[in-house]
């Protein structure tokens, strides 16, 4: 699905008059700018007058160590293979487009991990860097999340992709800025935000790109203060920079696609590789008189489609709602229909002489498909991860450390020692659990060949790295025999993952256990990156019902209020609850 900034964003678009003459170049930048010259072709002695032209750029930002989506929702977005497939399609539509990775690619955090988790993070970073070569990246910004293992690692893994220094990265071979071609149009790209004087560095680099013949200048912003600081940096470079792409997101999993008309125009594409950002540039003859952020027909149609889907959802909810609530839904439907009519009739006209920037946010959902060569790269990574983690596991202790005095340990749903497992006293609740998705959690990893990935394991077993739990990825099956074929050893999301470790409760019931489970417990695994549709009210019916949290009627068998999986089933459950 494609979407562009809606009317709220583009309505504020305005024409900005630029100075008719050339601006005086700012003072030379810091010494590191002089050490890292701007890559360029030899400039022509007397450039020809600029003619009307078009060019296309594509961006990805804040992938933050995410090769493919990690989670249990079937419609999750993102992944290197989908990005490659979409780029292949876009290159067919816009030959000569330039793809730029805006930065924060390699690691989840700027802080390095240790031990086996650190080894997997390094292997993943190397795979991501190789992936950018396969994607045909024209440049990569270097952000703080790229530097967890230092600048030398970034330089060693870059392959043939030029690196753009954001101000103070000390990456060998990185460049201050880069001239590239979007179609036949020369476009300058630079990165800034990490150095002591980001605004001065950005102005100096942008001015040099202008002198080299760049018809548009793009800044990959890496501010430490997020969106607002990126806008401030853009304002400080006003007149030299046409477009700012936010390379560093505070939360790559949840920060949304955003557009600010500026000037200069500021765009942010959601992270973790969930979307690509296509930017079409339409250049006037001669020097642009300003910059105009356009929505474009494709973006307009995408937004109309979104409004149609929202109207359909509201009508469905109205049919399931109590009688006294239906007028409220009807009023909301009329409101959205009015917005749709206004959007459908709206016309955008760019001012004469403006550089027109038209963004398209392209969601990388399952319908995009996977590019075979990049899918093979991911499969090879999965195999290497399994082999490496199994080898490293054998160097770790077989069992987790014992609990401290008075600390509860995990026992598992079935007994394997002196302490009783959950099912011995709670058979009804255990029968209920066996009918939930939690009892199949480990199986989902096996089917995806991720059961030996340290990125995934903690939310698919019980008591990962905890006393009485499991601390080796090759020993998840060790412990009790399980219950009705589920929960072998510490596999699957067993009772204690929600109610807490149960050894003290087993010794001295009924205390020492959490009978009420707040949503804050759920989001330890159902976080935004792994469970983007999570809503406690909608999801709880899958784990609550007669036999668990609700009394059983005479002759009734334990069963959840809702069954199935995925956001559609969760929605049905919420509607059932409303009825």
């Amino acid at each position: 699905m494609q979407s562009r900034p809606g009317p709220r964003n583009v309505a504020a678009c305005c024409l900005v008059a630029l100075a008719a003459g050339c601006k005086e170049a700012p003072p030379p930048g810091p010494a590191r700018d002089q050490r890292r010259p701007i890559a360029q072709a030899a400039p022509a002695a007397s450039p020809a007058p600029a003619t009307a032209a078009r060019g296309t750029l594509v961006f990805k930002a804040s992938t933050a160590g995410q090769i493919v989506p990690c989670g249990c929702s079937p419609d999750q977005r993102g992944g290197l293979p989908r990005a490659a497939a979409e780029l292949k399609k876009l290159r067919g539509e816009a030959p000569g487009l330039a793809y730029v990775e805006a930065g924060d690619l390699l690691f989840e955090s700027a802080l390095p991990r240790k031990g086996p988790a650190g080894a997997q993070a390094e292997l993943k970073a190397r795979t991501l860097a190789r992936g950018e070569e396969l994607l045909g990246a024209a440049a990569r910004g270097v952000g703080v999340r790229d530097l967890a293992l230092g600048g030398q690692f970034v330089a060693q893994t870059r392959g043939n992709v030029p690196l753009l220094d954001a101000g103070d990265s000390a990456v060998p071979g990185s460049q201050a800025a880069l001239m590239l071609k979007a179609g036949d149009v020369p476009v300058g790209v630079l990165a800034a935000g990490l150095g002591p004087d980001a605004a001065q560095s950005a102005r100096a680099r942008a001015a040099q790109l202008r002198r080299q013949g760049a018809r548009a200048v793009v800044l990959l912003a890496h501010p430490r203060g997020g969106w607002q600081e990126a806008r401030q940096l853009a304002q400080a470079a006003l007149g030299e920079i046409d477009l700012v792409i936010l390379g560093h997101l505070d939360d790559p999993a949840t920060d949304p696609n955003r557009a600010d008309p500026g000037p200069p125009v500021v765009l942010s594409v959601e992270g973790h590789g969930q979307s690509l950002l296509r930017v079409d540039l339409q250049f006037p003859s001669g020097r642009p008189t300003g910059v105009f952020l356009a929505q474009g027909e494709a973006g307009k149609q995408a937004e109309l489609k979104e409004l149609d889907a929202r109207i359909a959802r509201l009508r469905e909810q109205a049919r399931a709602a109590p009688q006294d609530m239906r007028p409220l839904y009807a009023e909301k439907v009329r409101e959205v229909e009015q917005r749709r009519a206004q959007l459908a009739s709206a016309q955008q006209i760019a001012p004469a002489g403006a550089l027109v920037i038209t963004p398209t946010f392209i969601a990388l959902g399952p319908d995009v498909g996977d590019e075979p060569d990049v899918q093979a790269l991911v499969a090879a990574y999965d195999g290497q991860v399994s082999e490496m983690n199994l080898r490293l596991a054998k160097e770790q202790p077989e069992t987790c450390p014992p609990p401290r005095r008075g600390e509860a340990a995990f026992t598992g749903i079935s007994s394997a020692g002196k302490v009783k497992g959950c099912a011995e006293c709670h058979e009804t609740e255990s029968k209920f659990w066996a009918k939930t998705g939690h009892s199949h959690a480990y199986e989902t990893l096996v089917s995806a060949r991720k059961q030996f990935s340290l990125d995934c394991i903690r939310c698919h077993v019980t008591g990962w790295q905890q006393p009485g739990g499991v601390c080796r990825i090759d020993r998840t099956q060790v412990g009790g025999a399980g219950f009705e074929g589920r929960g072998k050893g510490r596999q699957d999301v067993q009772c204690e993952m929600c109610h807490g470790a149960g050894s003290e409760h087993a010794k001295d019931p009924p205390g020492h256990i959490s009978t009420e489970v707040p949503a804050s417990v759920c989001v330890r695994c159902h976080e935004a990156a792994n469970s983007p549709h999570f809503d406690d009210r909608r999801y709880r019916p899958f784990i609550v019902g007669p036999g668990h949290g609700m009394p059983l009627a005479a002759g009734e068998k334990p069963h959840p209020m809702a069954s199935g999986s995925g956001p559609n089933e969760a929605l049905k459950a919420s509607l059932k609850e409303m009825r």
Side-chain angles (χ1 to χ4, degrees):
M1 177 177 143
Q2 297 187 356
S3 62
R4 298 175 187 258
R8 289 184 301 245
N9 292 322
V10 298
C13 296
C14 58
L15 173 64
V16 179
L18 300 178
C22 296
K23 287 192 69 174
E24 181 179 347
R32 62 176 171 274
D33 283 349
Q34 297 171 7
R35 291 199 307 268
R36 297 187 176 114
I38 296 176
Q40 59 172 331
S46 54
T51 59
R54 295 176 182 269
T56 300
L57 302 169
V58 177
F59 299 94
K60 180 164 63 68
S62 282
T63 301
Q66 190 88 309
I67 292 181
V68 293
C70 178
C72 50
S73 296
D75 61 345
Q76 281 188 272
R77 292 175 286 112
L80 271 179
R82 293 176 187 170
E86 185 62 29
L87 276 167
K88 183 176 181 180
K89 173 187 171 185
L90 293 176
R91 287 186 170 107
E93 298 173 358
L97 71 77
Y99 161 64
V100 176
E101 210 295 323
D104 273 3
L105 169 73
L106 299 180
F107 296 99
E108 179 182 359
S109 168
L111 301 175
R113 289 184 174 184
K114 305 295 184 182
Q120 180 168 332
E122 179 180 337
L123 179 58
K124 184 162 51 171
R126 292 180 182 277
T127 303
L128 284 164
R130 173 57 183 153
E132 291 304 312
E133 290 187 87
L134 296 180
L135 267 60
R140 263 179 54 198
V142 179
V144 291
R145 290 189 179 97
D146 295 306
L147 295 166
L149 295 184
Q152 191 67 40
F153 177 82
V154 180
Q156 290 173 349
T157 57
R158 74 176 184 89
N160 59 13
V161 180
L163 300 176
L164 291 172
D165 164 37
D168 198 21
S169 65
V171 177
S174 62
Q175 301 172 12
L178 182 71
M179 290 285 286
L180 52 83
K181 286 289 188 73
D184 293 326
V185 183
V187 175
V189 183
L190 63 115
L194 298 182
D197 192 343
Q200 179 183 351
S201 175
R203 287 194 301 268
R205 296 177 182 188
Q208 188 172 350
L209 288 167
R210 292 286 187 192
R211 291 193 294 271
Q212 292 171 201
R215 295 192 63 182
V217 175
V218 180
L219 165 64
L220 309 179
H222 282 264
R224 300 185 186 276
W227 174 259
Q228 292 302 326
E229 190 174 318
R231 295 180 66 191
Q232 294 171 8
L233 181 59
Q235 288 295 315
L238 183 63
E240 297 291 356
I241 289 170
D242 303 298
L243 172 63
V244 177
I245 303 295
L246 190 58
H248 173 80
L249 302 182
D250 292 335
D251 187 346
T254 62
D255 285 1
N257 297 323
R258 303 177 73 173
D260 187 312
V265 171
V266 184
L267 301 174
S268 175
V269 58
E270 59 185 350
H272 279 180
Q274 296 177 83
S275 292
L276 294 178
L277 169 58
R278 172 177 175 167
V279 178
D280 290 297
L281 305 173
Q282 183 176 344
F283 296 86
S285 299
R287 185 182 180 88
T289 57
V291 179
F292 180 79
L293 178 63
Q295 184 183 30
E297 185 60 27
K300 180 177 179 178
Q301 292 303 319
E303 188 164 354
L304 288 172
K305 184 177 179 180
E306 288 179 359
L307 291 174
D308 287 337
R310 185 175 180 188
I311 290 169
R313 285 196 303 270
L314 288 169
R315 286 174 173 163
E316 180 182 355
Q317 291 168 352
R319 285 192 293 269
Q323 194 69 34
D324 60 340
M325 291 182 62
R326 292 182 182 180
L328 298 177
Y329 279 101
E331 181 179 348
K332 191 65 178 177
V333 168
R334 286 193 294 271
E335 177 186 325
V336 179
E337 286 178 334
Q338 184 178 14
R339 284 177 52 195
R340 189 195 186 286
Q342 291 172 346
L343 175 62
S345 61
Q347 297 290 329
Q348 273 195 315
I349 302 176
L355 167 61
V356 179
I357 296 176
T358 306
T360 305
F361 297 101
I362 306 171
L364 299 180
D367 57 316
V368 171
D370 296 329
E371 201 283 322
D373 288 344
V374 181
Q375 181 61 45
L377 175 71
V378 174
Y381 162 78
D382 288 338
Q384 291 172 323
V385 163
S386 296
E387 180 182 348
M388 178 182 70
N389 286 343
L390 286 171
R391 173 172 48 81
L392 293 176
K394 299 185 185 307
E395 302 173 6
Q396 308 300 315
E398 288 193 357
T399 59
C400 293
R404 298 185 297 270
R405 181 182 295 273
E407 181 185 13
F410 286 84
T411 66
I413 196 168
S414 58
S415 299
K418 296 180 180 179
V419 180
K420 293 181 179 180
C422 305
E424 291 193 40
C425 296
H426 303 284
E427 184 178 3
T428 297
E429 289 81 357
S430 298
K431 287 181 178 294
F432 179 100
W433 169 81
K435 296 180 179 180
T436 68
H438 282 171
S439 71
H440 296 73
Y442 191 78
E443 181 183 359
T444 63
L445 279 190
V446 174
S447 62
R449 299 182 179 180
K450 301 286 188 183
Q451 71 269 34
F452 302 124
S453 171
L454 296 173
D455 287 341
C456 307
I457 191 66
R458 69 179 180 88
C459 288
H460 294 259
V461 297
T462 297
W464 177 250
Q465 300 288 327
Q466 300 295 319
V470 56
C471 286
R472 271 180 45 168
I473 207 159
D474 62 338
R475 291 179 61 82
T476 60
Q477 78 286 359
V478 175
F483 183 84
E484 294 189 354
R486 301 293 172 185
K488 184 178 181 180
R490 296 295 179 265
Q491 292 175 0
D492 299 320
V493 177
Q494 301 177 22
C495 315
E496 294 166 289
M497 282 291 282
C498 301
H499 296 283
S503 63
E504 297 300 305
H505 169 70
K507 295 175 185 176
D508 183 28
H512 313 287
I513 204 75
S514 299
T515 56
E516 298 294 328
V517 181
S520 58
V521 173
C522 310
V523 297
R524 291 181 302 188
C525 284
H526 287 279
E527 56 189 349
N530 303 328
S531 187
H533 302 289
F534 179 74
D535 180 318
D536 182 65
R537 184 177 66 87
R538 292 181 174 181
Y539 276 51
R540 198 164 286 255
F542 291 90
I543 58 168
V544 172
H548 184 235
M550 297 176 65
L552 277 172
E556 188 177 19
K557 294 183 178 180
H559 65 90
M561 288 175 60
S563 60
S565 62
N568 294 331
E569 290 297 328
L571 177 59
K572 292 177 185 176
S574 69
L575 295 176
K576 179 179 179 182
E577 185 179 11
M578 288 172 62
R579 284 196 294 269

